[in-house]
Amino acid sequence: KQEVTQIPAALSVPEGENLVLNCSFTDSAIYNLQWFRQDPGKGLTSLLLIQSSQREQTSGRLNASLDKSSGRSTLYIAASQPGDSATYLCAVRSVRAGGTSYGKLTFGQGTILTVHP
Amino acid sequence: ETGVTQSPTHLIKTRGQQVTLRCSSQSGHNTVSWYQQALGQGPQFIFQYYREEENGRGNFPPRFSGLQFPNYSSELNVNALELDDSALYLCASSAGGERGYGYTFGSGTRLTVV
């Protein structure tokens, strides 16, 4: 059974800092890993999608890395801004027994990020 | 390109009632998944539909059921509502039933059971 853990659970930083959010998963048989942002009471906004064959993806100030063999991913946010304050979720899409895609995403519990001016 | 839209945005129901939530998938997407997110938790997978067939289900009882229509929109039905069903229900769509496509999520329906 796939389990996803995110550390830290909460993080508070001053504006301008570079920061790293961590995600670990127990089963390395994955198709991809996706990072999402969630504002309070809202849906999920996809930030980055990393395929299992990739090592990293970048979008603007965001960089996500994937080490499938060790079951780890990190989301790096450069020059943080108050508008980055949100909950960040990582989710993995696992390979089902028999090698087919299950489609199911397994989520971590998220990291609550607060960037103060 | 329209995204994933869900309706209604908020809903209050009484314990024991039935509810139907609706989702329109993103244009070009043929796969729809539903998730339940309790307060302070990550989303939990309910089930997925690919080309109108259920092709995956999480640990939810049979009173959680769904449909996908030929236009790939979807419904989530919950019977005999319980207080613990109070949550944010999220719909997500993807371009394919297999492998490497990412998911696009809607804004969710906030269900409160009293």
Side-chain angles (χ1 to χ4, degrees), chain B residues 4-11 19-24 34 74-76 89 91 106-110:
Chain B
V4 177
T5 57
Q6 294 187 241
S7 62
T9 54
H10 296 86
L11 202 52
V19 69
T20 298
L21 310 182
R22 295 180 173 82
C23 172
S24 293
W34 286 91
S74 177
E75 286 183 353
L76 165 65
Y89 288 84
C91 171
S107 298
T109 293
R110 171 70 63 186

Side-chain angles (χ1 to χ4, degrees), chain A residues 18-36:
Chain A
N18 302 324
L19 55 97
V20 174
L21 307 182
N22 296 291
C23 172
S24 61
F25 46 96
T26 55
D27 186 349
S28 62
I30 66 170
Y31 279 118
N32 56 47
L33 182 146
Q34 201 165 355
W35 282 93
F36 295 91

Side-chain angles (χ1 to χ4, degrees), chain B residues 7-82:
Chain B
S7 62
T9 54
H10 296 86
L11 202 52
I12 299 175
K13 288 287 191 177
T14 302
R15 188 172 53 183
Q17 285 188 316
Q18 178 266 343
V19 69
T20 298
L21 310 182
R22 295 180 173 82
C23 172
S24 293
S25 60
Q26 183 168 315
S27 177
H29 287 187
N30 56 17
T31 301
V32 174
S33 302
W34 286 91
Y35 289 81
Q36 180 195 67
Q37 186 179 26
L39 206 59
Q41 304 294 316
Q44 298 292 315
F45 176 74
I46 302 175
F47 46 56
Q48 174 170 285
Y49 281 83
Y50 172 59
R51 294 183 176 177
E52 303 178 58
E53 295 288 332
E54 183 182 297
N55 74 340
R57 189 177 183 92
N59 294 326
F60 281 80
R63 59 190 185 83
F64 286 78
S65 64
L67 283 172
Q68 187 180 30
F69 300 100
N71 66 355
Y72 303 129
S73 65
S74 177
E75 286 183 353
L76 165 65
N77 299 290
V78 187
N79 294 321
L81 283 166
E82 301 177 359

Side-chain angles (χ1 to χ4, degrees), chain A residues 5-65:
Chain A
T5 303
Q6 291 187 245
I7 295 174
L11 185 61
S12 181
V13 300
E15 181 176 5
E17 272 205 7
N18 302 324
L19 55 97
V20 174
L21 307 182
N22 296 291
C23 172
S24 61
F25 46 96
T26 55
D27 186 349
S28 62
I30 66 170
Y31 279 118
N32 56 47
L33 182 146
Q34 201 165 355
W35 282 93
F36 295 91
R37 168 189 171 134
Q38 186 174 33
D39 294 297
K42 303 296 185 182
L44 307 184
T45 300
S46 180
L47 299 174
L48 291 164
L49 171 67
I50 310 178
Q51 302 296 342
S52 60
S53 58
Q54 297 175 323
R55 296 285 292 182
E56 65 178 317
Q57 283 286 336
T58 298
S59 176
R61 296 183 293 110
L62 305 180
N63 175 277
S65 67

